Amino acid sequence: MQKNLKAMRKYDAGLILVTVLAAVAFVFVLMNLSPATSLSPRYSQLTYLKEGNRTPLDFTSVIQTPANAWSPISSPVNLGMDTDVYWFSMIVEPTQSSQSRFLLHIDYPLLDNLDVAVYSQVGTKPVMTYSSGDSNRFSDRPIAHVKPLFPLPASAQSQRVIIKMQTSGSIRLPIRVWAETEFIEYTSSRNLVLGIFFGILLAMGVSNAFLTVTTKNVSFLFYSGYVINLAFILMTLHGYGFSYLWPGSTWFQSKAIIVFANATIMFAALFTRSLLPIKAYSKKLDSVTKAISWICGLSIIAGLILPYWLMIKAFLLLLSLVVIFILSLGVWMSLKGEVVARYFTIAWGFLLVSGLCASLDNVNIIQLPISSNNLLVIGGAVETLILALILAINYSHSRDDLIDAQQFALEQEKQANIAKESLLEVQKRYQDDLEYKVQERTLELEITLRELSEVNQELERLNAIDPLTGAHNRRHFDKRLRSEGRRSRREQTPLSLIILDVDHFKKINDEYGHDGGDACLIHVTNVFQKLIHRPTDDLCRIGGEEFAIILPNTDLDGAYHVAEKIRHCLQGSPLEYEGETIMLTASAGVSTTIIANEEQAQSLFKFADECLYEAKASGRNTVIHKHLQEKL
């Protein structure tokens, strides 16, 4: 911030010099463009008559009004704001020759109704009448000029000119009688300067509108809106708007001053908020500035509906308050140390004071030695120039701050990258060390897990093995039966189950003891296992002397054949135990089905067990085989 302040102060001398030179130049030019005071006015006996509540007059009756009813007045006439009809009378001197004529020039374009009648010295009826004013179309004017201009007929004698005027604004009548050649010289140079002035304003407005797009800075947009509306209001005050932009719209001509004036103040308030850091110092003042823009925006809409005389009075009151507020705000922020506010106050001082003076002059509160329109041009030109320089300087330093911030950020980022690289090196070193240790521990863990898996597999195998016979136990049988049941249901293949029971095993236990019984069970298991050849077939000991054989994808005949073969082989393979021969036989129940649901595998087991009991009841050493569907 300090760097910005020092840099901004370098522009002090330049701005002040530009301000002074611009003010002097515009005052010099416009003063020289005013009508030369050395020329004679070419008219005399200027008087006026207010119609008021009396009987309405016309150009025939007004000429008969007594002389003592007329009040003398001097030009430029300024009677303030009044909506009554006013009549003005004057005597114009004779023309120098019959080849030349005079032009009656009213140097104020904002008059609603303006009628002119020319009388000869001996006549009571006008020899020439004209109509002009904003209530008539521009094309109906006697001479297509930006301000009311009337040709006076050539006459060797003096002529009386009577003007009838009625307007909703100020009763102003700056009268000048010109010779045609003088008027052409005057208007050519004046129009050139004003054309250049309006061209510069519009060019600045358009260029700043483009800068809004390229810089994304809203200040340029508000400044552009302000400058363009200022140009339009000055063009309206000088008559150029009605002459060239909306010549056929008398309605808009009556509203143009209110619309453009309020739009100018609205954009000025928005520009002030964007240029000055008001909110950083006072939120209330920032809210007031924002409220001004809203009020002006609403006044634009109201101005299109409500009468001109009411809105112009409201605007003049609003303008007075805005002038005081903005100038006070600029001075206050300058005292707070804001350098931009100092230049801002100087710039706005020119326009706001000139605008206020012109407004007071229009309502006849003060009298100015210079035309109020010319005063506005001077103030607008100087203020626009200084604001453009301030905006450019402010944006330049904002860009410098941004560049400095970017360089600082880049330096910080560079330092951060160096620190990051160092950190990454340390991190990589520790990561490599950690990865080595992790790999080492992972390898040890994999070995441990593999050993544990082998132990678990062995434990699982041992948990599924009957410790006496070495055949699978009941736990394994239940799991395997469910699994093969699901496969049968999925593949729609038959599942067979053989349930075998050693005949008279209790008698063997009683005669040979439990050791003899265990020997018999081991012998039976060995015989059974020798007769089971398919890897999918599974022999399980499911009870004391009871065995089960699961035969996947085997029909009833195949299962019966296996069961019968086992029974026959066991019968022919007695056990030699402690010098004695123990004859062994077995009964079997066989059942087969294609599993249809989850519970049917258990039903198959129960039905095979029923077939086993039927075999025992049939005399033992027998195989009973049936389809499960026979039970269902």
Side-chain angles (χ1 to χ4, degrees):
M1 184 65 183
Q2 292 299 325
K3 179 181 178 181
N4 248 2
L5 291 176
K6 292 178 181 179
M8 288 287 284
R9 291 192 183 100
K10 295 179 181 178
Y11 293 91
D12 285 2
L15 278 174
I16 293 174
L17 179 61
V18 169
T19 302
V20 173
L21 291 177
V24 171
F26 272 91
V27 169
F28 175 78
V29 171
L30 289 176
M31 288 295 289
N32 280 277
L33 289 177
S34 299
T37 56
S38 59
L39 296 176
S40 61
R42 295 192 177 90
Y43 67 91
S44 61
Q45 303 179 33
L46 179 61
T47 57
Y48 78 97
L49 173 67
K50 182 177 180 179
E51 189 170 291
N53 296 324
R54 66 176 67 187
T55 303
L57 301 174
D58 56 25
F59 283 118
T60 301
S61 59
V62 74
I63 198 69
Q64 301 172 1
T65 305
N68 58 4
W70 295 82
S71 302
I73 194 172
S74 60
S75 182
V77 175
N78 190 344
L79 299 176
M81 298 188 67
D82 197 346
T83 58
D84 289 335
V85 176
Y86 279 81
W87 295 83
F88 297 89
S89 173
M90 63 181 180
I91 303 299
V92 179
E93 65 184 30
T95 54
Q96 296 178 355
S97 68
S98 60
Q99 302 299 322
S100 64
R101 64 174 179 172
F102 289 148
L103 298 176
L104 175 61
H105 181 214
I106 309 299
D107 195 15
Y108 186 65
L110 303 179
L111 298 174
D112 295 342
N113 295 286
L114 190 65
D115 298 321
V116 175
V118 183
Y119 299 82
S120 65
Q121 288 286 28
V122 295
T124 58
K125 292 185 178 181
V127 296
M128 190 74 67
T129 59
Y130 303 106
S131 293
S132 184
D134 293 344
S135 297
N136 300 319
R137 292 181 303 176
F138 184 78
S139 58
D140 294 337
R141 293 187 175 185
I143 297 178
H145 192 264
V146 293
K147 295 175 183 177
L149 187 65
F150 308 94
L152 300 179
S155 174
Q157 297 179 347
S158 298
Q159 301 177 91
R160 186 177 184 182
V161 176
I162 294 182
I163 303 171
K164 177 184 178 182
M165 183 176 67
Q166 184 180 28
T167 185
S168 57
S170 298
I171 305 296
R172 301 189 62 188
L173 204 68
I175 300 173
R176 193 71 187 176
V177 177
W178 297 86
E180 281 188 294
T181 55
E182 294 172 351
F183 185 75
I184 292 172
E185 293 175 358
Y186 164 70
T187 54
S188 62
S189 58
R190 184 179 178 84
N191 289 341
L192 174 62
V193 173
L194 289 177
I196 293 174
F197 171 71
F198 290 130
I200 292 174
L201 285 185
L202 292 176
M204 292 179 68
V206 173
S207 62
N208 278 275
F210 288 136
L211 285 174
T212 305
V213 179
T214 57
T215 63
K216 310 298 182 184
N217 190 333
V218 73
S219 296
F220 288 104
L221 176 62
F222 294 148
Y223 179 77
S224 175
Y226 163 73
V227 170
I228 291 176
N229 280 282
L230 177 63
F232 278 126
I233 193 173
L234 291 177
M235 290 172 68
T236 304
L237 288 173
H238 283 83
Y240 292 99
F242 192 42
S243 302
Y244 299 108
L245 301 181
W246 51 88
S249 178
T250 57
W251 174 83
F252 185 74
Q253 173 66 9
S254 66
K255 308 293 184 180
I257 289 293
I258 296 298
V259 171
F260 293 130
N262 281 285
T264 302
I265 300 300
M266 179 184 71
F267 279 105
L270 293 172
F271 178 69
T272 302
R273 290 187 71 226
S274 66
L275 185 66
L276 301 180
I278 305 173
K279 196 172 185 179
Y281 292 95
S282 174
K283 292 183 179 180
K284 291 183 178 179
L285 291 178
D286 181 70
S287 299
V288 172
T289 310
K290 185 177 181 180
I292 290 174
S293 62
W294 276 101
I295 293 172
C296 292
L298 295 174
S299 297
I300 294 174
I301 300 174
L304 298 174
I305 303 172
L306 299 177
Y308 174 81
W309 64 267
L310 175 63
M311 292 305 301
I312 193 64
K313 290 180 180 180
F315 173 75
L316 292 176
L317 176 61
L318 176 64
L319 179 63
S320 301
L321 297 176
V322 170
V323 168
I324 296 172
F325 173 76
I326 292 185
L327 285 179
S328 301
L329 180 65
V331 173
W332 178 70
M333 294 197 68
S334 298
L335 297 176
K336 289 288 184 179
E338 283 294 329
V339 179
V340 174
R342 186 193 318 164
Y343 307 121
F344 177 85
T345 305
I346 296 173
W348 279 103
F350 278 98
L351 181 65
L352 295 179
V353 172
S354 62
L356 182 61
C357 293
S359 300
L360 296 177
D361 178 59
N362 281 333
V363 295
N364 203 26
I365 295 177
I366 63 174
Q367 296 290 332
L368 295 176
I370 183 175
S371 169
S372 60
N373 291 348
N374 291 344
L375 182 63
L376 285 175
V377 171
I378 295 172
V382 176
E383 182 264 353
T384 303
L385 178 61
I386 299 176
L387 280 185
L389 292 174
I390 293 173
L391 186 58
I393 293 169
N394 189 56
Y395 176 74
S396 174
H397 286 284
S398 297
R399 185 185 60 185
D400 292 341
D401 289 341
L402 179 61
I403 293 174
D404 292 341
Q406 289 176 343
Q407 290 177 346
F408 179 75
L410 289 174
E411 185 63 28
Q412 293 295 316
E413 184 179 1
K414 182 178 179 181
Q415 296 298 327
N417 287 334
I418 294 174
K420 184 178 179 181
E421 290 176 359
S422 301
L423 180 61
L424 288 175
E425 290 179 1
V426 174
Q427 184 178 0
K428 187 176 182 305
R429 186 166 62 250
Y430 280 104
Q431 186 174 358
D432 292 342
D433 189 24
L434 180 61
E435 288 178 355
Y436 174 77
K437 291 181 179 180
V438 169
Q439 290 176 357
E440 186 178 14
R441 296 294 184 273
T442 302
L443 181 60
E444 294 176 357
L445 181 60
E446 289 176 352
I447 295 173
T448 302
L449 290 176
R450 187 165 55 249
E451 292 174 351
L452 181 60
S453 177
E454 292 173 355
V455 171
N456 286 336
Q457 290 176 3
E458 181 63 20
L459 182 61
E460 182 71 20
R461 190 184 66 79
L462 292 176
N463 286 336
I465 298 298
D466 178 53
L468 175 63
T469 62
H472 290 129
N473 57 18
R474 177 61 183 266
R475 180 183 176 189
H476 175 81
F477 169 76
D478 291 337
K479 290 174 60 178
R480 183 68 189 279
L481 181 62
R482 286 195 301 271
S483 176
E484 292 300 335
R486 294 189 184 105
R487 179 184 296 181
S488 172
R489 182 177 63 182
R490 185 172 62 252
E491 299 178 358
Q492 291 296 296
T493 55
L495 175 63
S496 296
L497 184 62
I498 303 174
I499 306 297
L500 301 106
D501 189 84
V502 180
D503 296 333
H504 308 294
F505 186 72
K506 186 176 183 304
K507 182 179 178 181
I508 294 173
N509 267 339
D510 293 341
E511 185 175 349
Y512 298 100
H514 287 289
D515 289 341
D518 291 345
C520 288
L521 292 175
I522 294 171
H523 176 70
V524 169
T525 301
N526 291 334
V527 172
F528 289 173
Q529 285 181 336
K530 289 178 182 179
L531 298 175
I532 296 175
H533 303 295
R534 294 191 309 176
T536 55
D537 299 342
D538 202 350
L539 173 65
C540 304
R541 182 188 176 195
I542 59 175
E545 70 277 11
E546 193 172 20
F547 293 85
I549 301 176
I550 300 174
L551 300 172
N553 200 15
T554 303
D555 58 15
L556 184 61
D557 291 338
Y560 171 73
H561 175 74
V562 173
E564 186 62 30
K565 186 176 180 181
I566 288 174
R567 183 197 66 76
H568 179 73
C569 185
L570 180 61
Q571 183 180 1
S573 304
L575 172 65
E576 298 295 332
Y577 181 72
E578 294 182 353
E580 295 188 25
T581 300
I582 302 175
M583 299 301 295
L584 298 171
T585 61
S587 301
V590 180
S591 182
T592 302
T593 191
I594 296 176
I595 301 299
N597 52 59
E598 191 72 23
E599 292 77 16
Q600 203 168 21
Q602 193 64 29
S603 299
L604 179 67
F605 170 67
K606 291 179 180 180
F607 186 62
D609 194 52
E610 290 176 5
C611 292
L612 169 63
Y613 279 100
E614 185 179 344
K616 286 183 177 183
S618 299
R620 302 182 188 275
N621 196 21
T622 303
V623 176
I624 299 298
H625 64 289
K626 296 180 181 179
H627 279 285
L628 177 61
Q629 283 74 12
E630 296 181 26
K631 177 181 179 181
L632 301 177

